[in-house]
Amino acid sequence: MTMKITRRNFIAAVVGGVVGIQVTPLPWKFTDDAAIWTQNWPWVPVPAEGAVTEENTVCNLCPGGCGISVRKVAERAVKIEGRTDYPVNPGGICPVGMGGLQLLYDDDMRFPGPMKRAGARGQGQFVNITWGEAYDILAGRIAKLRKDGTPEALAAIDGNYAGTTTGLLVERFMRSVGSPNYVKPNAITDTYHMGNLLMMGKSVPMAYDLENSDFILSFGCGLLEGWGAPGRVMNAWGMWHDANPKNRKTRVVQVESRASNTASKADFWVAPRPGTDGALALGIAHVLIKKGRVDERFINGFTYGFDDLTSSEGQSQPGFKTIVSNKYSPVQVERITGVDAGTIVALANAFSKAKAPVAVYGKGKNNLNGSLYEFMAVQSLNAVKGRINRPGGVLVPDPLPLAPLPEFDPDEVAAKGLETPRIDGAGTKAYPFTDSLINHFADAINQGARSPVDTLLVFSANPFFTVPDGPGFMNALEKIPFIVSFSPYRDETANMADLILPDHTYLEKIEDIVWPVGLQYPLYGLTKPVVEPVNDTQHAGDVIISLSKAVGEATGSAFPWENFEEALQARAKGLFDAGGGLVHYDASKPPWKFKPFGNGQKPSYKSFDDMWGEMKSGGMWFQPVKLAGMDGLFATSSGKFEFVSQKLRQTINETAAQTSQKAALDQMGIRVAGAEAFMGHYAAPKLGVDRSKYPLFMVPYEMINLSSGWIATPPFLYKTIFASQLLKEESFAAVNPETAAKYKLQQGDRAIVKSPVGELRVRIDLFEGAMPEMVYMPLGFGHTAYDEYQKDKGVNPNNIVKALNDPVSGYPLWWNTPVTLTKA
Amino acid sequence: MKKSNDHGKPETGHESTNGSGQKYGMVIDLDKCTGCGTCMVACAAENNVSVRADQSDKERVITWMRLYKISNGKKFPHTEVSYFPRPCMHCDHHPPCVSVCVATATKLDFNTGIVSQIYTRCIGCRYCQAACPYGARYFNWWDSFPQDKGMDRYLTPEVSPRMRGVVEKCTFCHHRLMRAKNQAYAEDRRELEEGEYITACTEACPAQAITFGDLNKPDHKVSQLIKHPYAFRLLDRLGTEPKVYYLSSRDWVRKLADNFLPGEYEPVVNRTWAEDEWSTKPGRDEF
Amino acid sequence: MKNQSNSAGNGTPPRTGDLVPKWINLNIVAQDISFFVIGLIAALIVGWAIFPALLYSKQPQPMNFNHALHLDSEIVDGIDGDTPQEKCESCHWFRDDGSFSGIPKLDMCTGCHDDPESPLGEAPEEKAFLVNYVEPEKQIPWFVYSKQPDCVYFSHIAHVKMGEIACTTCHGDFASNKKLPLYVENRLTGYSQSIWGKNISGIYLNKTYADRMKMDDCARCHTEKGQEQNNACFVCHK
């Protein structure tokens, strides 16, 4: 048999092969494996397994301070959840807090370590340096300013919340160097503190006893937009709206010009023109007074200025009652606010009928300041009904008993520097009660040819994005020779910096939360590091302590602590000394329940070290709510709650003594005279703009699912943004269909919103819930920094806000920007 | 009911949960819902849902739990906005997505009432997506976990990340049921207590608007809430028997839950508190 | 037709007469069959020998671990328990949340092998272990024989504690092993050979469950044990 391989033989062999291969595993196994291969692409991540742990800490993304628990798999954090064993928020947190891990792990958003600018300012190009180099550069620069005798040319913008230890250390550092220019971004708490100082004589936090109230009349407070501690307020909201109608004892009325979530979800929505909330509050007070439904016991016993006053010269001056009776009748208020007089009467009836009503003041979330007189008007309404220091009303607790940091003596250079006036004008005769005015900070720099600030330190703040008139702030930043950012994030302001000393993020460090906004009982929260620092970062508090020592002996001696935690402990000793504070929360005994009084709970610790250890692991120190005694409650000169603030009157009179009453009032921006200037009132703002050219108003608004402050919006949250708020790179302005029709604008049309300051291109969302003649734009879009999730998404209304100065406080009034709307 | 085949499907062919096992369901109180979106974020974080730079293309962005915004359409200042948080309805009767799946990648588990979705089995035909009347199913148009950004570091091993080309949807956080069972086993139990297994959105809701439990257990809160006069379901009349219920005292909200002919909808509540309160308006002359 | 005529004309006349038609040339048929068989055999060799050899890679574990030695309670402290099950759990335990800890981490080893300078025994493997892992505090990158793909969820506690299934039922007898077997991995899928099983044919031979760990095997066992409800997709998938 010859074995010549013919074509035929070859085919026979192939057929044999094909038949044979069928009875081998090859085709079947290969098919199966190929299918499995497609199920396991190497680029689809396989998350590593490991032991699961839950680390309790506190959220520090806003001044709400909700308790959070971080779920970890081995060393990785994989989920953030609300804590049920934390008194502020029984289990819930807001969407920003929920998405917090994206702020930790997103490499594109964060600085890998200390860096030095490489490209042009604003481009965000940096090169790595070591911490040693970073300290040398900065300490050298500050030492030189001191050597040159110009320590005041160092300025700091510090976004750490008021009263926090890091904030105090930064402020202390500035003082030890010798600069008064320590500036904080505005917050609603500024208005609360100032209002409380003027009416109650003490600069204490607002303590709204929401949980015990049965009628909440909210003046612009974004209860569902992230005001206060969102986990607390939304939990209360759920409580108020129980499925069982019998348990629905609390009614919520929202006063706001736009149908926000709070307005829509409230039991009733009242829509006055923006900036007229104070008039509405006084209108309601007017009805109560006229109907005799005031709390006479409280008014007679514990207030000053309700009835007419006799001045020291014996002249009779009208008091709160007379002024409100004359100027704020429902009909008059209707003219100011646009709210129907009948509704004002009905609101007064409802407020008066309720057992425990409270009038709450706010402006969106916590980030933006309010107006002082507006707040005072709302507080007056509470006082008329005797809702001060009553369950379900406004409580007047003492400040947290934190030990003050020890005093130190600034050296000669510093003392001289501290005598120079603040460049933002805060604390001057125009703004006597104001600590800092970030809105004037940029103006001061832009005015002169040369920047009075040589070196700017920025902590936890992004003023370029968050302050009204962003372009103005940008100009100022460009003029400042040297900017140092301590931000862990590549935010807009950090991109302008020359030197980056990145802080840890909130999940990587210990930090304190001093009294969450609006809480009715004292609470001191502590975050803790739940993961090892992801990047080469250092705690800003530690950096400040080290820096003070690097700058020189004089500055270093003001910081007798080895590290940040020692400084924290030094303050916390005061909490221990005060006694009675709790460091564990029993969910069956909410601290806001008055009965049984104080819940009969005893502290679980014996020594300070015990307490500190438990605070570090539990993240809390608090005292259950209690009513203060009326004696000595108010620290005003009358010892009473002052409808007409004597402190304000005295300050104005002092200024007037040097010039004239009118000049004094003008300087402070007050547009009324007499006793009305010292109490909550409404006066139409002087816009200084030809309204015929700018017939509409632009009102920025805040959303709970869009971060509008320094913290960026975690990418997950963009899932919750509607396509009528952001579509690809364009954000929307909400306009009433009637108004839009006037300008021939339809849903989705592109339009230009133009103010005297600038213009923005938006798309139009026809929204029935928008007040006619208003253009509503969300705050939080329009980033030009961070990463691809944030960048170039929509526009930032701050860029075209033409802010007026709030009388007395000087804070920006950001809801009065006149604009035009044209089809693009 | 006797179960015959290896997929636990009852013999009768009546495709719905039997009475003996669990029948997990959800009640969402729209009066409590504040529209904050925490449920959506919690869901995405819990379930390794992908995020892309542009999340505004709502047809392609993946949101197992999605918030729909609705309005009563009234003129200013009587406008009201409300929200429908919409997870997978886990239809109890012939889930439309299940019957169309050619790859048996999705099934109704008769012992839990959960409609499953197996990504590795899915062939990406998107038939289920078309069939779902609630828009609860999402297709992965992209591979979405860029590993060079560090964002894969927060992924949980409890839920398998999806690849491009498959459909995904809400699973009622099925892995949490497994987690709860493991915990129970560790404590020598087989039965779960109420509340031991709840979804991430239920846990996250800061207003406690979401209640989760076993509809087969009369003492579970969900079983009681679905008897509430305010209770209703989305597109109830399709007969898909969703296991997600809603509560709302607002008639305009309830009316938007289905396609009613004019006059067909019967209001449950006639007057709101404000209408009651405001009904005796004193004239302005009084002042 | 051309072939037929060719074969009929060129070959020896057929002797089988009526049994074989004239147009069939047995020579040619024999050749056909030979070549067919050659192809067949080649395919069988490729399919049964070469393919599996190419498909799987074999790697030794980063270091040896002597299970038999470590399970000897006279030598090693802390191996408690009367049953083999309990002994396994001395190192492969359940966490408090019911999850399974899997292969122990280094800190378990350093409980005894704490001093890199002084080995407890004489084995050269131990010295290498002390130098390579204990001293630099580096985790040992073990290969996991029974690692399932990411889409699979498996609860050990449900099977071992609640189902009372011995470890050996699925994993085989590791306890008496003195040397760790090679880790055999499918180059295409990246799966361990233990999933498909050593029998490349994929035919279930009903020996023991320790042979393989495919989905069908899980389902079969569930059915055999009257746990059909656990064959619902979401019980084993995530």
Side-chain angles (χ1 to χ4, degrees):
Chain A
M1 201 161 78
T2 51
M3 291 295 276
K4 208 174 80 185
I5 296 181
T6 62
R7 180 173 173 270
R8 182 183 174 109
N9 293 346
F10 176 73
I11 290 172
V14 167
V15 170
V18 168
V19 171
I21 213 80
Q22 308 305 311
V23 292
T24 73
L26 193 145
W28 322 112
K29 175 85 171 122
F30 188 81
T31 308
D32 193 281
D33 283 0
I36 293 172
W37 174 68
T38 67
Q39 293 173 357
N40 294 281
W41 300 124
W43 56 85
V44 177
V46 177
E49 310 245 355
V52 172
T53 47
E54 304 270 352
E55 296 267 15
N56 283 336
T57 181
V58 182
C59 182
N60 196 22
L61 294 178
C62 89
C66 294
I68 55 170
S69 143
V70 178
R71 189 176 169 81
K72 284 170 69 183
V73 173
E75 294 307 309
R76 291 188 302 128
V78 299
K79 177 90 191 291
I80 295 179
E81 281 154 7
R83 263 172 82 176
T84 49
D85 64 341
Y86 201 74
V88 175
N89 57 317
I93 53 171
C94 78
V96 178
M98 190 56 89
L101 291 183
Q102 293 187 318
L103 302 173
L104 173 72
Y105 283 134
D106 183 353
D107 281 343
D108 287 0
M109 196 189 275
R110 294 191 56 184
F111 289 111
M115 299 187 105
K116 201 166 74 175
R117 180 163 62 86
R121 273 193 168 172
Q123 281 187 344
Q125 283 170 359
F126 299 92
V127 288
N128 290 326
I129 53 172
T130 63
W131 275 99
E133 289 173 76
Y135 278 117
D136 286 348
I137 297 172
L138 184 54
R141 204 166 172 104
I142 296 171
K144 183 165 184 302
L145 287 180
R146 280 171 52 82
K147 209 177 136 207
D148 296 348
T150 55
E152 69 276 9
L154 178 72
I157 294 179
D158 179 18
N160 287 298
Y161 313 124
T164 56
T165 304
T166 310
L168 291 191
L169 292 185
V170 175
E171 195 255 3
R172 189 177 180 90
F173 178 70
M174 295 302 288
R175 268 195 295 133
S176 72
V177 169
S179 171
N181 294 310
Y182 170 76
V183 184
K184 292 188 89 73
N186 298 129
I188 189 69
T189 43
D190 297 338
T191 306
Y192 293 157
H193 279 262
M194 196 182 299
N196 285 346
L197 177 71
L198 295 180
M199 301 182 96
M200 307 201 292
K202 44 189 184 186
S203 174
V204 289
M206 258 342 260
Y208 288 123
D209 191 12
L210 299 177
E211 284 85 347
N212 291 311
S213 173
D214 67 347
F215 186 82
I216 290 156
L217 181 54
S218 152
F219 288 88
C221 197
L223 295 172
L224 301 184
E225 270 74 38
W227 175 85
R232 170 209 178 195
V233 179
M234 289 197 279
N235 175 68
W237 194 272
M239 225 165 64
W240 299 331
H241 293 82
D242 196 277
N244 183 355
K246 277 182 197 154
N247 293 339
R248 290 195 189 191
K249 287 182 181 136
T250 304
R251 302 293 172 183
V252 183
V253 174
Q254 178 72 355
V255 178
E256 196 175 355
S257 74
R258 182 184 69 97
S260 64
N261 281 0
T262 316
S264 290
K265 293 297 215 166
D267 293 281
F268 193 69
W269 168 39
V270 188
R273 294 187 187 103
T276 64
D277 293 10
L280 184 65
L282 296 177
I284 295 167
H286 173 103
V287 178
L288 296 177
I289 291 168
K290 278 288 155 72
K291 285 195 167 181
R293 295 211 196 127
V294 297
D295 185 332
E296 285 183 13
R297 215 186 116 254
F298 181 78
I299 289 175
N300 294 338
F302 306 103
T303 71
Y304 168 86
F306 185 76
D307 294 310
D308 291 354
L309 302 157
T310 315
S311 72
S312 48
E313 293 91 43
Q315 283 174 327
S316 173
Q317 257 195 337
F320 179 83
K321 183 177 171 184
T322 310
I323 291 168
V324 168
S325 301
N326 293 342
K327 290 186 73 174
Y328 295 96
S329 75
V331 179
Q332 286 163 311
V333 171
E334 179 179 326
R335 257 183 249 129
I336 299 169
T337 61
V339 176
D340 168 72
T343 302
I344 297 169
V345 176
L347 276 176
N349 285 344
F351 196 76
S352 144
K353 233 166 68 181
K355 285 197 188 83
V358 64
V360 179
Y361 180 74
K363 286 277 178 201
K365 315 188 204 195
N366 310 315
N367 299 341
L368 297 165
N369 56 278
S371 156
L372 177 69
Y373 281 135
E374 214 171 67
F375 170 67
M376 288 171 73
V378 173
Q379 277 295 75
S380 300
L381 175 60
N382 280 320
V384 163
K385 202 68 196 126
R387 300 303 303 150
I388 311 281
N389 199 32
R390 290 274 206 290
V394 177
L395 305 187
V396 193
D398 289 324
L400 278 167
L402 290 164
L405 296 180
E407 278 306 311
F408 72 97
D409 289 323
D411 69 351
E412 205 179 318
V413 181
K416 219 169 132 229
L418 287 171
E419 278 169 22
T420 57
R422 289 178 62 97
I423 66 168
D424 64 359
T428 58
K429 284 189 174 135
Y431 314 109
F433 310 108
T434 311
D435 291 331
S436 78
L437 283 170
I438 196 162
N439 46 324
H440 294 188
F441 179 78
D443 294 347
I445 291 169
N446 287 333
Q447 268 163 18
R450 214 171 134 262
S451 164
V453 174
D454 171 78
T455 302
L456 174 69
L457 315 178
V458 185
F459 297 87
S460 304
N462 186 12
F464 168 48
F465 184 79
T466 59
V467 172
D469 189 16
F473 212 95
M474 184 60 141
N475 282 340
L477 290 179
E478 273 166 6
K479 281 180 77 178
I480 297 173
F482 198 74
I483 300 172
V484 186
S485 174
F486 293 76
S487 173
Y489 304 116
R490 296 174 180 270
D491 58 61
E492 282 83 358
T493 311
N495 274 354
M496 292 294 291
D498 302 273
L499 189 64
I500 308 287
L501 283 78
D503 194 355
H504 298 320
T505 64
Y506 74 119
L507 296 171
E508 301 164 309
K509 62 173 174 178
I510 186 167
E511 197 81 76
D512 55 357
I513 288 112
V514 179
W515 206 308
V517 176
L519 206 64
Q520 70 270 57
Y521 51 90
L523 183 135
Y524 181 75
L526 267 190
T527 72
K528 73 173 173 209
V530 292
V531 287
E532 288 293 312
V534 173
N535 292 336
D536 181 18
T537 52
Q538 289 189 9
H539 195 302
D542 286 330
V543 173
I544 283 295
I545 293 174
S546 310
L547 195 62
S548 72
K549 287 165 186 165
V551 167
E553 213 175 296
T555 48
S557 65
F559 292 81
W561 311 284
E562 282 293 310
N563 54 39
F564 176 71
E565 198 180 322
E566 275 187 22
L568 273 181
Q569 283 193 47
R571 292 186 80 201
K573 286 225 167 68
L575 300 177
F576 180 74
D577 295 340
L582 303 178
V583 290
H584 293 286
Y585 168 58
D586 176 354
S588 67
K589 294 169 182 163
W592 47 265
K593 279 205 169 150
F594 280 93
K595 281 175 196 168
F597 184 73
N599 295 327
Q601 295 174 86
K602 292 257 155 44
S604 50
Y605 48 85
K606 293 260 168 358
S607 65
F608 171 76
D609 289 341
D610 271 6
M611 183 191 89
W612 183 246
E614 295 199 39
M615 276 172 73
K616 269 174 72 177
S617 68
M620 70 187 104
W621 180 98
F622 68 100
Q623 287 176 322
V625 68
K626 60 177 184 219
L627 278 189
M630 275 302 199
D631 288 336
L633 184 64
F634 304 114
T636 52
S637 56
S638 61
K640 292 174 175 176
F641 177 91
E642 299 191 340
F643 284 102
V644 175
S645 168
Q646 297 197 86
K647 194 175 186 76
L648 185 52
R649 177 165 59 195
Q650 190 191 345
T651 310
I652 292 173
N653 286 348
E654 275 168 22
T655 313
Q658 290 160 18
T659 54
S660 70
Q661 184 80 9
K662 186 169 181 309
L665 293 176
D666 280 351
Q667 191 182 14
M668 296 173 85
I670 302 171
R671 293 178 297 279
V672 293
E676 197 176 359
F678 317 129
M679 63 172 238
H681 66 262
Y682 170 81
K686 273 210 185 86
L687 296 171
V689 170
D690 183 356
R691 283 302 308 282
S692 64
K693 284 191 187 145
Y694 295 95
L696 307 177
F697 280 113
M698 193 276 285
V699 185
Y701 69 91
E702 290 178 301
M703 287 154 53
I704 189 159
N705 50 348
L706 188 66
S707 175
S708 48
W710 164 60
I711 293 291
T713 304
F716 277 144
L717 270 70
Y718 286 96
K719 290 181 186 293
T720 70
I721 305 285
F722 295 103
S724 59
Q725 291 168 323
L726 181 76
L727 192 56
K728 301 227 177 278
E729 66 283 6
E730 292 173 296
S731 58
F732 285 66
V735 180
N736 190 285
E738 273 176 31
T739 309
K742 271 203 218 165
Y743 297 92
K744 307 216 165 23
L745 290 166
Q746 291 176 349
Q747 178 69 31
D749 277 357
R750 293 186 171 85
I752 305 280
V753 184
K754 189 178 168 206
S755 82
V757 182
E759 60 178 48
L760 292 174
R761 201 183 150 89
V762 293
R763 295 182 74 152
I764 295 298
D765 178 33
L766 300 185
F767 181 40
E768 291 282 4
M771 178 177 271
E773 312 297 310
M774 300 284 159
V775 180
Y776 292 93
M777 291 175 66
L779 284 164
F781 292 130
H783 277 291
T784 53
Y786 293 103
D787 60 0
E788 58 167 346
Y789 297 106
Q790 317 285 331
K791 226 180 210 171
D792 304 324
K793 288 202 188 312
V795 293
N796 180 5
N798 272 332
N799 288 352
I800 62 164
V801 169
K802 186 183 182 298
L804 301 167
N805 290 331
D806 185 47
V808 184
S809 74
Y811 297 140
L813 296 179
W814 38 269
W815 50 86
N816 279 329
T817 303
V819 293
T820 61
L821 190 61
T822 44
K823 196 165 175 167
Chain B
M1 212 176 281
K2 189 178 174 291
K3 290 173 293 279
S4 66
N5 66 13
D6 64 351
H7 291 292
K9 188 173 177 177
E11 263 180 341
T12 57
H14 172 75
E15 230 181 71
S16 62
T17 318
N18 60 26
S20 62
Q22 278 79 42
K23 184 176 162 188
Y24 289 108
M26 184 182 275
V27 180
I28 305 177
D29 189 333
L30 301 182
D31 287 356
K32 292 186 178 196
C33 170
T34 69
C36 67
T38 309
C39 52
M40 288 180 71
V41 179
C43 169
E46 176 85 19
N47 291 295
N48 294 343
V49 175
S50 71
V51 203
R52 290 180 55 79
D54 178 27
Q55 297 279 319
S56 69
D57 181 352
K58 296 301 177 193
E59 286 183 9
R60 295 192 170 185
V61 59
I62 299 176
T63 46
W64 291 10
M65 170 63 108
R66 179 168 173 187
L67 217 52
Y68 286 92
K69 189 177 183 177
I70 51 170
S71 164
N72 66 353
K74 286 194 181 168
K75 281 200 182 312
F76 183 91
H78 304 289
T79 323
E80 274 177 20
V81 169
S82 193
Y83 298 90
F84 268 114
R86 192 252 32 226
C88 170
M89 297 288 133
H90 294 276
C91 302
D92 208 45
H93 183 62
H94 286 291
C97 54
V98 169
S99 53
V100 300
C101 181
V102 292
T104 328
T106 180
K107 295 285 284 178
L108 169 60
D109 181 351
F110 305 104
N111 296 289
T112 58
I114 295 174
V115 177
S116 61
Q117 173 71 19
I118 309 304
Y119 317 118
T120 42
R121 192 144 189 160
C122 174
I123 58 168
C125 72
R126 303 174 63 211
Y127 200 167
C128 56
Q129 209 185 353
C132 175
Y134 303 100
R137 291 179 156 266
Y138 294 89
F139 183 67
N140 280 276
W141 292 91
W142 300 277
D143 282 304
S144 308
F145 293 99
Q147 290 176 51
D148 54 340
K149 283 165 158 289
M151 299 278 269
D152 55 337
R153 282 178 288 191
Y154 62 68
L155 295 181
T156 161
E158 285 183 301
V159 183
S160 187
R162 279 72 68 187
M163 67 207 76
R164 182 182 69 231
V166 300
V167 167
E168 61 181 80
K169 69 160 192 84
C170 154
T171 63
F172 264 177
C173 287
H174 184 268
H175 61 281
R176 284 178 165 238
L177 173 58
M178 293 301 162
R179 196 196 283 174
K181 277 187 171 176
N182 266 4
Q183 183 72 57
Y185 295 160
E187 293 164 9
D188 284 314
R189 297 181 284 131
R190 282 189 185 273
E191 294 297 313
L192 297 181
E193 298 287 313
E194 182 177 12
E196 269 193 287
Y197 159 45
I198 57 169
T199 62
C201 53
T202 308
E203 181 184 77
C205 178
Q208 346 262 277
I210 308 179
T211 313
F212 189 81
D214 184 355
L215 295 168
N216 272 351
K217 295 217 171 65
D219 58 325
H220 275 209
K221 211 175 156 199
V222 277
S223 304
Q224 288 153 13
L225 282 174
I226 61 169
K227 293 186 204 134
H228 198 285
Y230 294 164
F232 64 99
R233 292 187 285 192
L234 285 181
L235 301 176
D236 201 6
R237 297 180 299 175
L238 285 180
T240 55
E241 302 284 329
K243 285 192 283 282
V244 176
Y245 291 74
Y246 294 89
L247 298 177
S248 177
S249 63
R250 299 187 184 198
D251 270 306
W252 70 266
V253 172
R254 306 163 50 82
K255 209 173 159 182
L256 283 169
D258 211 334
N259 300 302
F260 291 103
L261 292 170
E264 200 180 9
Y265 176 76
E266 284 175 29
V268 177
V269 188
N270 287 308
R271 274 146 59 100
T272 64
W273 166 80
E275 282 160 357
D276 271 345
E277 197 73 2
W278 262 237
S279 57
T280 50
K281 275 187 188 173
R284 62 173 68 184
D285 303 337
E286 218 178 302
F287 299 91
Chain C
M1 291 312 282
K2 204 178 163 199
N3 272 353
Q4 276 177 22
S5 60
N6 279 351
S7 55
N10 299 340
T12 29
R15 290 180 189 244
T16 35
D18 294 327
L19 285 170
V20 179
K22 279 185 183 168
W23 49 269
I24 295 179
N25 181 332
L26 282 183
N27 252 347
I28 302 272
V29 169
Q31 252 188 47
D32 283 351
I33 292 172
S34 324
F35 275 96
F36 176 84
V37 170
I38 290 168
L40 187 84
I41 291 170
L44 292 177
I45 293 169
V46 167
W48 286 98
I50 299 177
F51 170 66
L54 287 176
L55 185 64
Y56 288 107
S57 68
K58 290 181 181 167
Q59 300 167 80
Q61 292 281 7
M63 57 172 271
N64 187 38
F65 180 81
N66 187 337
H67 270 98
L69 178 80
H70 285 87
L71 274 164
D72 188 338
S73 51
E74 286 181 13
I75 300 175
V76 179
D77 273 350
I79 305 294
D80 305 320
D82 306 325
T83 63
Q85 190 72 35
E86 286 171 11
K87 286 185 172 174
C88 290
E89 284 178 27
S90 305
C91 293
H92 309 283
W93 70 90
F94 293 110
R95 302 190 188 103
D96 288 346
D97 64 359
S99 63
F100 181 61
S101 64
I103 297 178
K105 294 272 184 280
L106 188 68
D107 55 356
M108 179 111 214
C109 312
T110 51
C112 299
H113 302 271
D114 53 349
D115 187 357
E117 303 299 318
S118 55
L120 303 175
E122 257 134 61
E125 283 119 329
E126 196 203 346
K127 281 202 184 102
F129 163 63
L130 293 173
V131 172
N132 295 335
Y133 300 106
V134 176
E135 200 167 33
E137 291 182 40
K138 210 178 105 194
Q139 295 291 345
I140 308 161
W142 297 113
F143 294 110
V144 186
Y145 300 113
S146 45
K147 187 168 176 65
Q148 288 284 348
D150 192 45
C151 62
V152 175
Y153 171 82
F154 183 81
S155 167
H156 275 90
I157 201 167
H159 293 84
V160 177
K161 187 174 175 186
M162 307 314 274
E164 294 178 345
I165 297 170
C167 304
T168 50
T169 309
C170 301
H171 292 287
D173 182 14
F174 264 82
S176 56
N177 264 0
K178 291 194 170 134
K179 189 149 176 55
L180 290 173
L182 289 174
Y183 176 69
V184 185
E185 189 185 275
N186 185 316
R187 291 183 207 268
L188 195 56
T189 61
Y191 286 16
S192 161
Q193 193 191 36
S194 311
I195 307 300
W196 178 273
K198 288 214 176 67
N199 179 0
I200 186 91
S201 73
I203 298 165
Y204 178 63
L205 298 173
N206 202 16
K207 279 186 196 158
T208 66
Y209 277 99
D211 281 355
R212 31 179 261 176
M213 295 180 166
K214 292 201 67 167
M215 182 171 120
D216 289 346
D217 305 316
C218 303
R220 187 181 311 111
C221 185
H222 284 160
T223 310
E224 279 173 16
K225 297 204 179 262
Q227 302 284 333
E228 293 99 328
Q229 76 278 7
N230 288 337
N231 288 337
C233 310
F234 254 171
V235 176
C236 308
H237 281 288
K238 66 177 188 182

